Amino acid sequence: MSEIRHFFRTNQTPIYFFGATPVNLLGLDRWVRKFSYITYYDGWDGHHPRVFTPGEKPYIEFQSAEEINNWLLENAEVREYIDARRTPGGPRPKIAMVFFDEETEAICEELGYDLILPSAELRNELDSKIVTTQLGNEAGAPSVPNILGRASTYKELQKLADKANLGSDLVVQTPYGDSGKTTFFITSEETWNQYSKHIIDEDIKVMKRINNRPVAVEAVLTRNGTVVGPILTELAGYKELTPYKGGWCGNEMHPDVLTDSQRHRATELVRRVGDGLQKTGYRGFFEVDVLVDTDTDDVYLGELNPRISGASAITNVTAGAYADIPLFLFHLLEYLDVDFIIDVDEINERWEEMSGADVWSHMIIKETDDIVQYITHAPRTGNYVLDSKGKLQFVRPALDWHQLQNHKEAFFLRIYGVEDYRWKGADLGILVTKAKLQFTGKKKTRLSIDAKHLISSIRSHYRGIDVPPAESDDDN
């Protein structure tokens, strides 16, 4: 491991992470020489030495994260920034990102960049929840009791469910899309009618509904096997954070996420998923949503995300990361021109022992009001602290959250700032803290009082001018 750390501290290959923001891998520049971020939004207003954002950004209504990354790759300022840091005859620039497509691959090929990720074609295939289920079954990583098929009526759906003895309280998923938007809970013909337009003519996964605790686990499939990261629980669907029902809005890690037995079985399940991925030709970073049945204690495969995920922001600051190296560096090893041998079993045993030894949380704060505003005031990116009166105060600018020490401190990464617009669903920023953000009560898990206070405190820093709705032709 010391040789690996030395390799990255003396790295000569320029590596760039592209994205709307650098949040997924922010702080890795502490570990890897010549690691930089190229982003559309700059929460530091040009003061982060490893973050580059184009100065000229004409208004564009991007339809996806892929479009943002492709625009950045083709941008003249970005290309000049990368070219100025290339050594003649030296290694080609390496590019990493969360979302990309075949157009991204074509752009990188033309520019002479190496996209250090599995192919878009393979990732798109693995993104299917149907394919994930089949891959897991073959690898010995079972999903919640389910059946795959199609249904054009409620009667056909129930007939399909009866084949697998799933009962009448069902969860139906279509192959592609965020789970919060393509997962439907169906208990009757009435709820079928409510969602049927999204289900008919689609391959579907029909599951028995269980009481579960969802957790997120990131891992890296290397030539030596799968390295499994820490286990994090999810924040999802909280109205204080997101307007989307069931929408993901953060993660947290703490000692009580799972029991030792559950953690061991979850780790083994993720390793089996890695074994299945290896047969497809996949290599590198991936994330698995694991479901723990709170009634039976069974551990199931939920979903597979063949990419860097939102949980990466926490994964890379854990005790295991600082004892060895951050998880993403195993991905870099796999894609850089270096031979290496690591003892995956030893690493996983050590990380499993340390999993949950620390407390880290983050939450993505979206605009939840039905407004459109031109922003005139916004919170600064940097470190905040709860003072003696419990008020959240800005303390100082900071490059990342790696230096947070206790639950009274927080780091806020601003996304939308002054002269931007905010609207319902817009990402305002990300807050990271060393405090638990959820409280498990007798009836259900909810956002803690402290979490709600942090959210309202950040929101109070945003002010703006309401933008009236556009006039239609009928109004003239």
Side-chain angles (χ1 to χ4, degrees), residues 13 94-95 114-119 122 220-221 223 281-285 328-338 340:
T13 301
K94 310 296 183 184
I95 308 296
D114 293 331
L115 192 61
I116 52 173
L117 299 161
S119 71
L122 178 57
V220 177
L221 175 57
R223 65 195 68 182
Y282 190 93
R283 61 193 178 111
F285 211 91
F328 189 74
L329 269 60
F330 291 107
H331 175 97
L332 292 181
L333 277 178
E334 189 64 29
Y335 279 91
L336 295 177
D337 186 20
V338 55
F340 68 94

Side-chain angles (χ1 to χ4, degrees), residues 92-105:
R92 289 157 56 106
K94 310 296 183 184
I95 308 296
M97 57 185 66
V98 179
F99 296 104
F100 68 96
D101 53 23
E102 292 181 352
E103 177 65 17
T104 316
E105 294 173 329

Side-chain angles (χ1 to χ4, degrees), residues 15 29 32-38 47-52 81 85:
I15 305 170
D29 52 302
V32 184
R33 188 181 182 193
K34 294 198 172 184
F35 190 101
S36 303
Y37 311 87
I38 295 178
H47 296 297
H48 193 302
R50 308 304 298 173
V51 172
F52 178 79
Y81 177 83
R85 285 154 181 78

Side-chain angles (χ1 to χ4, degrees), residues 293-312:
D293 190 321
T294 56
D295 295 321
T296 67
D297 201 42
D298 290 322
V299 174
Y300 296 113
L301 168 62
E303 294 183 17
L304 166 67
N305 293 302
R307 61 180 59 83
I308 305 161
S309 81
S312 304

